[in-house]
Amino acid sequence: MLLLSILLLPLLGAVILTALPNSKRQGAGRFAIAWAVIPLAFVVMMRGTRPTPEGGILASWSLDWIPSANISLSFSVDGISWVFLLLTSLVTLFALAISSRFGLNSRGYCALILVMQSMLFGVFTAGHFIPFFLCWEMTLIPSYLLIRLWGGDGAPRAAMRFFIVTLFGGVCMLLGFLALQVSVGTMDFAMLHELAANKELASGVGEALKSTGYGGHYLLTIIAICVFFGLAVKIPVFPFHAWLPDAYAEAPTPVTLLLTGLLSKMGVYGLLRIFMMIFPEVLPGFAPWLTALAVITVVLGAVAALAQTDMKRILAYSSINHLGYCVLAVAAVAASQADRTAVSSSISGVILQAFNHGIIASALFFSVGIFEQRSGGLRSIDDFGGLRAKMPVFCGLMGLALFASLGLPGLSGFVGEFLIFNGVFGLVPWAAAVSLIGLLLTAVFLLRLLRKVFHGPLPSALESWTDLTTRERLLFVPVIALIVGLGVWPQAILHCINDDILRMLNHLLPSS
Amino acid sequence: MNYIHLFYQLLPEAVLVITALALLGVAVSTESKTKKTITCGLASRIAALGVLAAGVALVFTPKCLASGSHLIAMDAIALIFKGGVLGLGFLAVLVPPAKKEIEHPGEYFALMLFALTGLTLAVGSNHLLFIFVALELASLSLYLLAGFSRTPQSSEASLKYFLFGAVSAAFMLFGLSFLYGFSQSDTLQGVAKAVAADPTSVIGMVGLLMVVVGLGFKMAAAPFHYWAPDVYQGAPVTTVTLVAGASKIVGVVLLVRFLMIGFPDAAGSAAWGGITAGWSIWLAIIAAVSMVFGNLLALAQKSVRRLLAYSAVANSGYLMVGMCAAGGESSAAALFYVVVYGLATLGALVVTAAVERDQGSDSQAAFAGLIHRSPLLAVCLLIFMTSLAGIPPLAGFAGKFILFGAAMTDSIQAENSGLAWLVGLAVVMSAVSFYYYLSVLKQAFVKDGDGSAGKESLSLGYVLAVVIPAAALVLLGLLPSVLLDPIKVAVLETLGMH
Amino acid sequence: MNPAWTIISAFAGALLVLLLPARMAGQSRIIALIASLVGAAAAAVSCLTRLNGMESDVWSFKSDWIPSFGIQFHLAADGLALTLLMLTGVVAIAGVLFSWNVTKRPRAFFAYFLTIIGGVYGVFLSQDAFLLFVCYEIVILPKYMLIAIWGSTNREYGAMKLTMYSIGSSALILLGLVVAYAAAGGTSFDIAHLAAAEYSTELQNWAFPILFLGFAVLAGMWPFHTWAPTGHVAAPTAASMLLAGVVMKLGAFGALCIAIPLFPDGFAVWQPFIAGLAVVGILYGAFTALQQKDLKFVIGYSSVSHMGFVMLGLATATHWGFRGAALQMISHGVIAGLLFGIAGRVVYERTHTRDLTELGGFNLWKSLPGAAIAFTLATAASMGLPGFSGFVAEISVVIGVWESYPWLLPWVALGIIITGAFSLRAMYRAFFPDSKASSAETMGAGSSTPPLDPLTWPEISAMALLLIVSLSIGIYPKPWVTLIDDGLRSPLFQSILFQP
């Protein structure tokens, strides 16, 4: 019941907002913020429930859909899901909180964000492909509208491109899973994991789709590619990232924050929980390609960021780069499962990196938002300079976030990247080596941003700028606290996911 | 068989003739005294009463299957279709032509009654010569009736009708003489015997085809239909209703008699992939030509009367589809359909006449806004046109469906697809026909009219002549069995197919 | 209440409306609403009864009609028919509500409307080919009248075109049925009897395409779809809703329950062609919709595309495919009804334009937020996003395609994507402002365009009804699927779906 209320509460909030009389427009933002606190509280409360001993399930709920085909809307939460739930509720709350700073507090806007939150909860808890896909696709319309209606001048085009590309990915993923339904009669994740662990999936697919004239392994590879494509578009992985810079740049800042902080995590989550777990039979075959893509994503993301002057675009490419590490870890695990410790380290790294990236991105995009708001829409790093003198506190906070982003030890960004590199070195050393270039370049462009904006001569237009208001400082507090806190004590997250990672390991490497 | 017996059997016809003579007498006497003729309305009412009385007389007429000479055959078909002819005749005489059109209403309606007499007589005979004489009685009266109003169109119609009629009568008589020579018998039963002995006889077949040409003329089947458009358009409306309704029924009944009683063994087959020599294939060709010609030409008509004439051509085609199958059920279905068709076409003509009388034109445009001017006429027109087009729940639909179904059933065999090609053509052409029926309805229901047109005022005769067929069409559409079952029983009984 | 009440209520309603005295003509909408409600209630009660008593025999009613030709008045309602009855009931209610403001000859309007509804109910319930055909044809003339008299753009042409296509299609059906009747011995028109008869393969090979094509024309299968967009555009709102919502379903229903079971061998031969045409239809409809300027044309072509999925489901000859086809019929019925209702009634009656560019100037997102929300949701449903009915239907069809024609899948996927694209394009062009100048920060503030009338209650309730149905199917399809599966267990489909 707790799970169901977490899933439905934001939706209910959206409905209430829509039904509110128009005159209460000013109150819509406040209402939404207050409302978004409730799921956060519920998620935290859920940590207190005792997990089931065999599956580590904290809560679950299900509804028959097409019983004759084993399709049901089933949702369940284990440790990993919980971490993502937490991230979702935190980031959504933060996005709503900063939205009103930017004058985005109309009913429609808040309602759409709440709908999106609900769907994200669904994605991170789905136990069957149908509910997963349901929530996955239902994020499309809200995010499309958010970009389209509240975005910049280029928003219509960017939103359309974003929509079509992601829809395309979704359809591919759907077709892939339906093939599994046809051949093995189920799309339930747990059952598919079971089949995959017993190496029965490829043979099942081959048997059912004999008529195509291809073998099971080949067909399963195609299915896996379809599914990967759907996930990769969301993250995004090179070369499916073309929609991203425009969409991120045109969307209003809080929405960009949602896109990068949460929507891209859907892809990471899917790679980890679905792709890696269902297709181990065929993964070794194309893992080298995957690894190569991940490496290119990491490096290219960094190089592209280096070429940008628009702060939002820099951060957008930096997101590609940071999430590239997650893909790299998954690809490495897929390629080689030689070392149990390395695999475990990689997987933990992915989850930590996903969580931390969400938090750090929140801080960074909020900072960009502050620039935008004060300068009336300017975002280029060339427009600013020497602000350290005028805004020391802001400079410190944003600098902290930037350092966390480039992975300074002691801050949260470091732990995830360290675990990932630790794991990948053990599995696919060359990829880790090449990716280091990306790591270095990240440092370069982030520091360049810091230098350009806060140092050097102060443009005359910025003479009148003052430091952060108390309210803005207060908004920074929880984020910075998390960045520092998780950097010092990553165990807080790792503790939650240890059991689940153990289960995944047993599943992937049953022999040991 | 004595003459009293004969008189009983011809009681309806006797009533008709007596009424006709009375009408003539009244007309002549009033004219000579007052220089004023009796009015159209009065004459129409007298004639209607006469037809009604004949109908009552028919009820009391005994059924008599085997009178020695077959001169008069009061078999089951005859009983039903004499009723049918009288019924449609009754509706026809209910509609008086405009006063200015007809100068001598008494004579006009007397001729109507004579024509009806000829038609009823023709229905109830298996004797070759008697059939011819009865038909000629009807035809001669109809030629005159067509030319009765003194407009040039009427005269042209009469002349065309007469010329084509004379040629076709010659054909028919020639054909009958062939049949007589071939079978040494002047009855259809005798012909049947000869055919059974020699089904492939060329003389017999030639004779039959000539008769079919003659009947095809009566039914306005293509290519013997050239008189139809002009007669439908030019002749007084009362004549046209008789030609379109009762006369058509007689054509089909006689076709059934000739083909199914006289030549059942020479049918051959027109089935796709299984064509064998016989009359079926010839009929199929006439049917196909009629359907295609009639429907395509009707598409181009502006005048509703001409449109109905071409629709009559097309409908002869559908009827012949039923005949082609050469089966009892399909014959029964054709006979059912012709009654339904007669009712619908008669009703449509009456509505057209009413519109024409008030708007001065029978063009489609004259119908514009009919629903506002006269809802009754418009709704009845809807019933007639949709019945003609074969839309349920009206009788025209049931008629067509059953006709095509029976034609398929009687013709299909394991090794070939039967008349599917012809039925297919019929169905497609029937779909085409919907276009022109609908375009009339479009004027009546969709167009608003210019508002200047006056309201159609309706006499009782008109009201009856549209309401009765409309009600009958609805009733027969919902419960076709009411008429279909008796017809089927009668046909199977008469043809000896139990 | 048994399912027959659906038919009775509709025809009785039609008669009652016609008999209303002229001064009470305004009340005809109330009668129509009551009749639709009774019909929908009867359908709903029957559905629930069936769901609770799946083991019992289906409801049926049989009586002689024209015994000499083996024609019976035979109605029966299995699960499949019941779901379609339910759909018809819902669309009927919404149609009446969306026509609440009809003032031109209201009696005739609602009489025609209810006649169509009654005919549609009749087709779904008929178990006798003759009766089915009667009900099928009853619909044609009222359809013409509704469009020709109350329609808008090019109404007489659209009405005539649509009617001639319908008549042509019914001619083919008539021929097919008559051939089946004759070949089965000419004794009975009972569908079960016709389906059980043995037909030679040769006959099936030519009779199947005739019969199937007849139904497929009405279902809007490419390339015989051209009546659909013109007809939908010309029709008044309620008629568009009925046409796209239920009348097109008659074709699909006939193809599923008559053409395929009657001639299974012929079906097996023609199956690949149907699948090919269906896919072409999906793509053609989608690409054409992408280029339309008129909002109703977009929806009209989207219907072609969506009905392509129904045909594709049928062509797979699998349980999933048939199930998907049935679901898609219901789903499309609701969604198309909703889209046409919004485009034709809610928007057009206020703006008097359906041109996408001109609509953009009205800034409907601000001036009619309710309509914009409803249209957005309907768009999402139309593009098959999960959570709405279209998704359940499409995945079922796609699973069927995986089983039968995997190589068609890339094209199907393309179709789904283009559907997303054109739906989205129509939505933002029509409802959302062009540029940032009128973006949502000023939402609710005064705008340059004259204010539009607010939504009325009938409109809101109609939109809500259709949306709720679509959502309920999308979120919880179990009862619908159960009912459809019940229908597919009928002996009609045994030889096709459950071959040894």
Side-chain angles (χ1 to χ4, degrees):
Chain A
M1 242 19 241
L2 191 61
L3 175 55
L4 189 61
S5 36
I6 290 178
L7 289 173
L8 291 184
L9 258 177
L11 266 187
L12 181 64
V15 173
I16 296 176
L17 271 175
T18 329
L20 271 185
N22 210 7
S23 56
K24 296 262 175 69
R25 209 159 50 86
Q26 290 307 324
R30 274 174 228 152
F31 172 84
I33 296 171
W35 195 269
V37 174
I38 308 175
L40 177 61
F42 280 10
V43 170
V44 173
M45 265 164 65
M46 189 183 266
R47 193 61 238 172
T49 45
R50 183 186 298 276
T52 55
E54 69 281 0
I57 305 293
L58 293 169
S60 67
W61 181 82
S62 120
L63 172 75
D64 270 354
W65 217 58
I66 302 180
S68 58
N70 282 323
I71 301 181
S72 58
L73 294 188
S74 67
F75 297 92
S76 63
V77 186
D78 63 359
I80 297 177
S81 297
W82 184 82
V83 170
F84 282 91
L85 285 188
L86 184 66
L87 178 69
T88 308
S89 33
L90 282 173
V91 174
T92 317
L93 181 59
F94 187 71
L96 280 170
I98 63 171
S99 292
S100 49
R101 303 288 317 143
F102 305 127
L104 296 168
N105 55 0
S106 66
R107 292 182 300 157
Y109 175 84
C110 296
L112 286 173
I113 288 188
L114 286 179
V115 170
M116 200 140 92
Q117 187 188 25
S118 209
M119 293 307 142
L120 285 161
F121 282 149
V123 167
F124 294 137
T125 56
H128 186 284
F129 176 71
I130 290 293
F132 175 81
F133 189 69
L134 191 152
C135 299
W136 174 280
E137 293 283 270
M138 284 302 274
T139 55
L140 268 184
I141 291 274
S143 41
Y144 168 82
L145 286 178
L146 284 170
I147 300 175
R148 174 74 174 70
L149 291 176
W150 287 276
D153 289 332
R157 222 185 132 70
M160 187 75 172
R161 203 201 269 179
F162 158 77
F163 188 91
I164 295 299
V165 174
T166 14
L167 183 68
F168 191 53
V171 170
C172 285
M173 184 160 68
L174 176 68
L175 290 182
F177 266 93
L178 292 183
L180 290 181
Q181 169 78 38
V182 169
S183 31
V184 296
T186 183
M187 292 187 280
D188 189 90
F189 292 151
M191 289 164 98
L192 287 173
H193 292 173
E194 199 63 32
L195 283 170
N198 299 338
K199 311 268 182 229
E200 287 163 357
L201 212 50
S203 53
V205 172
E207 184 59 32
L209 299 175
K210 263 203 306 275
S211 63
T212 53
Y214 296 109
H217 196 266
Y218 182 81
L219 287 170
L220 193 63
T221 308
I222 292 182
I223 294 173
I225 291 174
C226 282
V227 173
F228 174 74
F229 181 58
L231 299 168
V233 163
K234 254 319 194 275
I235 299 177
V237 177
F238 172 87
F240 312 116
H241 66 284
W243 60 269
L244 180 133
D246 277 347
Y248 278 20
E250 295 298 342
T253 305
V255 175
T256 316
L257 167 55
L258 285 178
L259 286 176
T260 178
L262 294 177
L263 285 162
S264 59
K265 302 300 178 299
M266 286 166 41
V268 174
Y269 180 84
L271 271 186
L272 193 65
R273 303 298 301 267
I274 300 172
F275 182 70
M276 205 169 82
M277 302 297 281
I278 292 181
F279 302 106
E281 287 169 76
V282 294
L283 278 185
F286 67 104
W289 299 99
L290 212 60
T291 319
L293 282 185
V295 171
I296 296 176
T297 310
V298 166
V299 176
L300 269 192
V303 171
L306 206 53
Q308 302 296 326
T309 54
D310 181 337
M311 280 192 271
K312 244 177 163 179
R313 281 180 192 266
I314 294 177
L315 292 180
Y317 281 110
S318 124
S319 281
I320 296 184
N321 161 282
H322 278 104
L323 293 170
Y325 297 131
C326 294
V327 183
L328 178 68
V330 172
V333 172
S336 151
Q337 291 145 6
D339 184 353
R340 208 176 153 90
T341 336
V343 171
S344 152
S345 165
S346 302
I347 297 177
S348 316
V350 170
I351 297 168
L352 265 188
Q353 172 76 352
F355 189 88
N356 291 330
H357 174 255
I359 303 292
I360 296 168
S362 302
L364 288 177
F365 278 101
F366 181 39
S367 310
V368 175
I370 289 174
F371 280 116
E372 268 189 287
Q373 194 203 4
R374 304 215 168 175
S375 66
L378 296 178
R379 293 196 304 249
S380 169
I381 49 175
D382 298 332
D383 294 333
F384 305 100
L387 279 173
R388 194 167 70 103
K390 286 275 172 195
M391 309 171 76
V393 178
F394 181 45
C395 173
L397 291 173
M398 187 173 175
L400 194 71
L402 281 172
F403 280 115
S405 181
L406 62 81
L408 195 71
L411 296 175
S412 64
F414 169 73
V415 196
E417 279 171 28
F418 174 77
L419 283 174
I420 288 176
F421 274 94
N422 186 24
V424 176
F425 262 117
L427 298 169
V428 194
W430 67 266
V434 180
S435 300
L436 276 179
I437 303 172
L439 206 57
L440 291 175
L441 287 176
T442 312
V444 173
F445 69 75
L446 288 178
L447 289 176
R448 183 178 68 128
L449 191 155
L450 199 62
R451 180 177 60 82
K452 279 273 212 176
V453 171
F454 289 107
H455 296 267
L458 184 73
S460 55
L462 308 183
E463 291 289 346
S464 59
W465 283 31
T466 55
D467 208 345
L468 295 181
T469 63
T470 321
R471 225 186 203 165
E472 285 163 343
R473 287 176 205 198
L474 277 178
L475 281 171
F476 263 115
V477 167
V479 188
I480 297 299
L482 273 174
I483 291 175
V484 177
L486 287 176
V488 178
W489 193 46
Q491 286 303 322
I493 298 291
L494 289 175
H495 171 73
C496 298
I497 56 176
N498 267 340
D499 290 352
D500 300 292
I501 288 177
L502 216 60
R503 254 191 306 280
M504 286 176 77
L505 278 179
N506 289 336
H507 182 94
L508 286 169
L509 309 165
S511 50
S512 46
Chain B
M1 169 177 249
N2 54 30
Y3 286 103
I4 292 296
H5 194 171
L6 197 62
F7 179 73
Y8 268 131
Q9 296 210 324
L10 292 183
L11 198 56
E13 286 83 353
V15 173
L16 287 178
V17 171
I18 291 167
T19 321
L21 292 175
L23 203 53
L24 271 182
V26 172
V28 169
S29 58
T30 49
E31 197 165 3
S32 60
K33 277 181 195 157
T34 61
K35 299 281 179 198
K36 256 180 74 181
T37 68
I38 59 169
T39 61
C40 253
L42 182 62
S44 148
R45 264 166 241 163
I46 294 174
L49 279 178
V51 180
L52 212 53
V56 174
L58 183 68
V59 176
F60 295 104
T61 312
K63 195 152 114 183
C64 167
L65 287 178
S67 59
S69 62
H70 297 283
L71 207 55
I72 293 164
M74 284 306 290
D75 49 19
I77 291 186
L79 274 177
I80 291 183
F81 285 95
K82 281 190 178 183
V85 169
L86 287 175
L88 286 179
F90 172 71
L91 294 173
V93 295
L94 275 180
V95 186
K99 201 180 289 174
K100 58 178 184 294
E101 232 181 333
I102 305 291
E103 207 156 287
H104 302 287
E107 288 154 39
Y108 183 83
F109 279 98
L111 275 173
M112 286 286 288
L113 293 178
F114 284 131
L116 262 181
T117 314
L119 292 173
T120 46
L121 282 175
V123 168
S125 174
N126 281 332
H127 190 278
L128 301 181
L129 258 183
F130 191 84
I131 290 175
F132 180 74
V133 170
L135 268 187
E136 281 309 293
L137 172 59
S139 296
L140 286 171
S141 315
L142 286 174
Y143 302 150
L144 286 175
L145 286 169
F148 221 86
S149 77
R150 282 203 249 154
T151 57
Q153 290 87 356
S154 177
S155 313
E156 187 193 340
S158 177
L159 188 67
K160 255 195 181 161
Y161 198 20
F162 172 69
L163 285 178
F164 276 98
V167 172
S168 79
F171 259 98
M172 187 155 181
L173 193 60
F174 200 41
L176 290 174
S177 71
F178 267 64
L179 293 188
Y180 179 71
F182 160 65
S183 65
Q184 308 293 320
S185 158
D186 53 3
T187 65
L188 285 171
Q189 277 79 2
V191 173
K193 274 192 202 113
V195 173
D198 181 11
T200 54
S201 154
V202 175
I203 301 183
M205 192 52 69
V206 169
L208 178 69
L209 284 181
M210 289 187 165
V211 173
V212 168
V213 169
L215 291 175
F217 161 81
K218 278 252 139 285
M219 289 169 65
F224 323 113
H225 67 280
Y226 290 100
W227 57 271
D230 290 317
V231 171
Y232 274 56
Q233 191 179 28
V237 62
T238 320
T239 316
V240 184
T241 51
L242 197 65
V243 170
S247 171
K248 190 118 174 173
I249 292 187
V250 173
V252 177
V253 171
L254 288 179
L255 211 52
V256 170
R257 283 194 189 278
F258 273 96
L259 297 175
M260 298 305 295
I261 296 180
F263 283 80
D265 297 322
S269 166
W272 194 259
I275 294 181
T276 50
W279 48 261
S280 181
I281 182 68
W282 294 105
L283 225 54
I285 291 169
I286 298 179
V289 173
S290 299
M291 291 187 297
V292 174
F293 256 62
N295 281 314
L296 294 187
L297 288 173
L299 286 177
Q301 302 308 319
K302 290 273 173 289
S303 150
V304 176
R305 283 200 190 192
R306 287 185 86 85
L307 185 151
L308 287 170
Y310 283 108
S311 129
V313 176
N315 276 282
S316 316
Y318 305 145
L319 290 164
M320 292 217 180
V321 172
M323 305 304 309
C324 283
E329 295 205 345
S330 47
S331 305
L335 286 169
F336 175 71
Y337 183 69
V338 76
V339 174
V340 168
Y341 162 77
L343 283 169
T345 244
L346 184 141
L349 280 167
V350 175
V351 175
T352 311
V355 170
E356 191 180 353
R357 203 184 50 186
D358 292 16
Q359 310 295 325
S361 156
D362 71 333
S363 71
Q364 293 195 21
F367 283 75
L370 188 64
I371 179 72
H372 302 299
R373 297 204 303 271
S374 172
L376 175 74
L377 281 183
V379 169
C380 288
L381 184 74
L382 179 78
I383 292 175
F384 300 137
M385 288 302 188
T386 44
S387 177
L388 282 172
I391 300 292
L394 298 164
F397 167 75
K400 267 187 194 163
F401 198 103
I402 290 167
L403 177 66
F404 298 150
M408 276 307 297
T409 312
D410 282 345
S411 67
I412 199 163
Q413 273 148 7
E415 64 269 19
N416 63 49
S417 53
L419 286 174
W421 66 276
L422 190 61
V423 171
L425 182 67
V427 165
V428 171
M429 280 301 148
S430 175
V432 171
S433 76
F434 189 66
Y435 180 84
Y436 53 81
Y437 295 127
L438 190 59
S439 52
V440 179
L441 290 180
K442 178 171 98 179
Q443 294 290 339
F445 282 82
V446 178
K447 298 280 183 194
D448 283 333
D450 51 7
S452 65
K455 280 201 169 194
E456 270 81 356
S457 56
L458 294 174
S459 67
L460 181 67
Y462 271 101
V463 172
L464 285 180
V466 293
V467 169
I468 293 174
L473 286 174
V474 173
L475 177 74
L476 287 179
L478 293 176
L479 299 169
S481 290
V482 172
L483 184 61
L484 184 63
D485 283 352
I487 290 181
K488 189 173 168 185
V489 170
V491 169
L492 294 183
E493 182 188 309
T494 311
L495 303 183
M497 298 173 155
H498 279 288
Chain C
M1 269 173 126
N2 64 41
W5 281 99
T6 52
I7 305 182
I8 298 171
S9 67
F11 285 127
L15 203 62
L16 215 59
V17 168
L18 277 182
L19 295 179
L20 270 186
R23 63 190 162 78
M24 288 171 69
Q27 310 305 314
S28 42
R29 61 189 188 187
I30 294 171
I31 294 179
L33 182 62
I34 293 171
S36 313
L37 283 172
V38 171
V45 168
S46 312
C47 281
L48 290 177
T49 320
R50 185 75 194 137
L51 275 174
N52 290 330
M54 210 49 113
E55 304 312 317
S56 56
D57 286 340
V58 297
W59 173 87
S60 73
F61 172 82
K62 200 183 226 179
S63 133
D64 268 349
W65 191 10
I66 313 178
S68 49
F69 281 84
I71 293 168
Q72 289 175 320
F73 198 90
H74 186 183
L75 303 175
D78 60 12
L80 181 58
L82 284 175
T83 49
L84 290 166
L85 286 189
M86 195 63 234
L87 164 73
T88 314
V90 168
V91 175
I93 296 176
V96 174
L97 288 174
F98 274 128
S99 323
W100 208 243
N101 63 341
V102 167
T103 47
K104 180 181 175 189
R105 291 160 72 184
R107 285 179 298 169
F109 181 88
F110 285 109
Y112 290 132
F113 183 90
L114 288 173
T115 311
I116 295 180
I117 294 291
V120 171
Y121 280 137
V123 169
F124 292 145
L125 284 175
S126 301
Q127 294 298 309
D128 183 283
F130 180 85
L131 179 60
L132 180 134
F133 193 69
V134 167
C135 296
Y136 190 86
E137 290 235 309
I138 281 180
V139 171
I140 292 177
L141 199 71
K143 208 161 70 177
Y144 172 81
M145 293 295 186
L146 274 186
I147 300 174
I149 300 179
W150 289 273
S152 52
T153 322
N154 225 350
R155 58 192 168 141
E156 281 174 26
Y157 169 74
M160 190 54 106
K161 183 168 174 184
L162 177 142
T163 311
M164 289 318 292
Y165 266 90
S166 308
I167 281 286
S169 89
S170 56
L172 295 175
I173 297 167
L174 172 69
L175 184 61
L177 289 181
V178 158
V179 165
Y181 165 76
T187 50
S188 169
F189 271 106
D190 199 80
I191 292 172
H193 169 86
L194 294 180
E198 294 283 334
Y199 305 99
S200 69
T201 315
E202 202 187 321
L203 179 114
Q204 298 206 21
N205 285 351
W206 61 262
F208 173 77
I210 292 178
L211 193 55
F212 185 85
L213 186 60
F215 286 117
V217 168
L218 199 62
M221 186 173 80
W222 188 87
F224 309 101
H225 65 281
T226 57
W227 64 269
T230 18
H232 290 331
V233 171
T237 306
S240 315
M241 292 175 66
L242 282 190
L243 278 180
V246 292
V247 174
M248 284 177 102
K249 307 301 168 300
L250 296 185
F253 176 80
L256 174 62
C257 292
I258 311 281
I260 293 175
L262 248 52
F263 303 121
D265 295 350
F267 174 53
V269 171
W270 289 91
Q271 207 181 333
F273 294 92
I274 300 170
L277 287 182
V279 171
V280 174
I282 292 174
L283 291 173
Y284 176 88
F287 275 110
T288 318
L290 198 55
Q291 292 158 2
Q292 298 304 313
K293 292 196 175 59
D294 184 317
L295 183 56
K296 260 192 168 183
F297 264 116
V298 176
I299 307 172
Y301 279 105
S302 85
S303 288
V304 174
S305 179
H306 284 142
M307 289 308 285
F309 274 98
V310 176
M311 286 308 176
L312 186 60
L314 294 184
T316 62
T318 58
H319 195 174
W320 272 107
F322 282 6
R323 182 194 277 157
L327 280 169
Q328 175 76 343
M329 284 189 225
I330 296 163
S331 156
H332 174 249
V334 174
I335 296 166
L338 181 60
L339 289 172
F340 276 121
I342 298 175
R345 168 73 186 86
V346 178
V347 172
Y348 182 74
E349 302 253 320
R350 293 182 170 80
T351 61
H352 302 287
T353 177
R354 292 189 306 251
D355 187 281
L356 288 176
T357 324
E358 290 175 28
L359 280 177
F362 281 95
N363 207 351
L364 292 167
W365 166 239
K366 282 194 273 170
S367 44
L368 275 181
I373 292 173
F375 198 85
T376 309
L377 290 175
T379 304
S382 164
M383 61 174 81
L385 284 192
F388 294 97
S389 49
F391 174 68
V392 193
E394 276 175 18
I395 62 165
S396 303
V397 172
V398 170
I399 292 178
V401 177
W402 259 120
E403 289 178 11
S404 294
Y405 303 106
W407 55 86
L408 280 178
L409 280 168
W411 302 107
V412 177
L414 181 61
I416 295 177
I417 305 220
I418 304 301
T419 306
F422 77 71
S423 309
L424 202 64
R425 169 180 171 272
M427 177 186 92
Y428 76 69
R429 286 271 198 104
F431 284 90
F432 296 109
D434 301 331
S435 64
K436 197 170 162 84
S438 44
S439 76
E441 276 114 27
T442 51
M443 179 181 157
S447 61
S448 56
T449 50
L452 304 173
D453 299 336
L455 295 182
T456 61
W457 276 111
E459 289 167 355
I460 294 175
S461 32
M463 292 191 294
L465 173 72
L466 293 172
L467 268 178
I468 287 170
V469 172
S470 177
L471 268 172
S472 72
I473 301 174
I475 303 281
Y476 189 54
K478 185 178 156 192
W480 301 83
V481 172
T482 316
L483 281 172
I484 289 169
D485 285 352
D486 171 52
L488 294 179
R489 270 194 298 275
S490 142
L492 289 181
F493 305 108
Q494 286 297 329
S495 63
I496 300 152
L497 296 183
F498 306 104
Q499 275 161 343

